[in-house]
């Protein structure tokens, strides 16, 4: 009798159980951090809220409390605890499959704003505590480096399909994407300028297209915003 299917089943069950545990821990920690702040949230509190022993917490979050913050960030960013890279997720696959470059960036902008709505509150809490916690500051620095690396994917894809404007390298395009999709930009647009999430989405789609794509007929972004109504003008955000 072939034991391989049984072993795969056991392995799948273990993986699913581990993912469920990580998700439970991340959700409990996120709730406590948003309610109390990072510094006031203890590992013991998170263990109790998630129904695990403290040792399980340290096993699931290598690095102690900064590791727990990293887990909260990763799960909030992805929307789940599955070990699936962003590049393999359905929304990214939809962007890759879209033939029109302007529409690619419209879908990308939609994804970016959806992620911002999830991670924005967590980022504010962690950012406020990072000045007094070197380990947490390191976690946030790592997430920024990862975000810059992640920006190379869409930039290189646009270069591969011949969509980048003349003279713009994939590396510089990635820098533009990284900067335009920063949480700080969205915070200023929504909290200082008073824009809605929908207005931010439309501005981001328009600005990415104007910055990255080769103009077509003098109107590089009109088509990619056909899904939106009442879009704001394309002025850049006013930075304090």
């Amino acid at each position: 009798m072939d034991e391989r299917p049984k072993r795969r089943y056991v392995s799948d069950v273990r993986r699913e159980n581990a993912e469920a545990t990580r998700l439970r821990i991340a959700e409990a920690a996120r709730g406590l951090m948003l309610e109390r702040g990072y510094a006031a949230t203890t590992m013991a509190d998170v263990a109790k809220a998630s129904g695990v022993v403290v040792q399980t917490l340290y096993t699931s979050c290598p690095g102690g409390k900064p590791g727990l913050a990293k887990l909260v960030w990763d799960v909030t960013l992805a929307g789940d605890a599955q070990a699936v890279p962003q590049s393999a997720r359905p929304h990214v696959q939809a962007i890759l499959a879209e033939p029109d470059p302007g529409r690619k960036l419209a879908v990308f902008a939609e994804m970016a704003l959806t992620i911002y709505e999830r991670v924005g509150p967590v980022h504010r809490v962690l950012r406020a505590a990072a000045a007094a916690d070197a380990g947490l500051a390191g976690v946030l620095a790592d997430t920024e480096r990862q975000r810059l690396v992640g920006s190379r994917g869409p930039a290189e894809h646009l270069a591969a399909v011949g969509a980048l404007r003349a003279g713009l390298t994939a590396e510089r395009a990635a820098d533009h994407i990284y900067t335009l999709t920063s949480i700080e930009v969205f915070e200023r647009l929504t909290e200082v300028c008073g824009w809605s999430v929908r207005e931010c989405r439309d501005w981001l789609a328009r600005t990415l297209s104007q910055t990255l794509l080769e103009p077509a007929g003098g109107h590089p972004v009109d088509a990619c915003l056909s899904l939106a109504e009442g879009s704001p003008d394309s002025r850049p955000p006013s930075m304090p």
Side-chain angles (χ1 to χ4, degrees):
M1 179 178 178
D2 191 348
E3 290 292 320
R4 284 175 294 181
K6 181 178 179 180
R7 289 175 183 170
R8 281 199 300 270
Y9 170 76
V10 172
S11 177
D12 289 345
V13 169
R14 287 176 178 169
R15 186 188 69 251
E16 290 171 2
N17 288 341
E19 289 175 353
T21 299
R22 284 165 53 83
L23 180 61
R24 197 162 66 249
I25 291 170
E27 289 178 341
R30 180 174 58 222
L32 290 171
M33 288 178 185
L34 292 178
E35 178 185 349
R36 305 176 183 178
Y38 175 81
T41 298
T42 68
M43 297 291 274
D45 290 338
V46 174
K48 181 178 180 181
S50 56
V52 302
V53 298
V54 173
Q55 185 55 47
T56 298
L57 209 60
Y58 282 96
T59 301
S60 300
C61 311
K65 196 171 175 183
L68 176 62
K70 178 68 162 56
L71 175 64
V72 170
W73 175 264
D74 288 345
V75 170
T76 306
L77 179 69
D80 58 53
Q82 296 178 14
V84 179
Q86 286 290 325
S87 59
R89 290 178 178 269
H91 47 261
V92 175
Q93 292 299 308
I95 293 170
L96 297 177
E98 169 59 50
D100 180 73
R103 284 291 307 153
K104 283 181 186 292
L105 291 176
V107 177
F108 179 81
E110 182 79 37
M111 180 186 72
L113 267 295
T114 299
I115 291 174
Y116 164 68
E117 289 185 284
R118 287 203 305 265
V119 304
V122 171
H123 191 268
R124 281 191 291 273
V125 168
L126 298 183
R127 196 171 65 218
D133 190 307
L136 179 59
V139 168
L140 290 182
D142 286 342
T143 64
E144 283 303 299
R145 284 189 288 268
Q146 291 166 5
R147 204 169 65 78
L148 177 57
V149 171
S151 297
R152 294 174 187 163
E156 291 172 354
H157 172 66
L158 290 171
V161 299
L164 290 182
R165 61 178 171 78
L168 181 63
T169 65
E171 181 179 8
R172 185 52 57 90
D175 293 343
H176 288 306
I177 294 169
Y178 165 77
T179 302
L180 289 169
T181 58
S182 71
I183 290 176
E184 290 81 0
V185 168
F186 295 139
E187 285 180 346
R188 283 159 176 73
L189 287 174
T190 56
E191 297 174 14
V192 179
C193 300
W195 287 19
S196 68
V197 171
R198 180 178 181 177
E199 288 172 327
C200 290
R201 177 202 67 190
D202 295 345
W203 169 82
L204 180 59
R206 177 182 293 106
T207 306
L208 284 170
S209 290
Q210 291 174 334
T211 303
L212 303 176
L213 302 185
E214 191 69 51
H219 300 285
V221 298
D222 291 349
C224 80
L225 293 178
S226 60
L227 72 161
E229 298 175 0
S231 301
D233 61 35
S234 57
R235 66 188 186 278
S238 175
M239 295 296 189

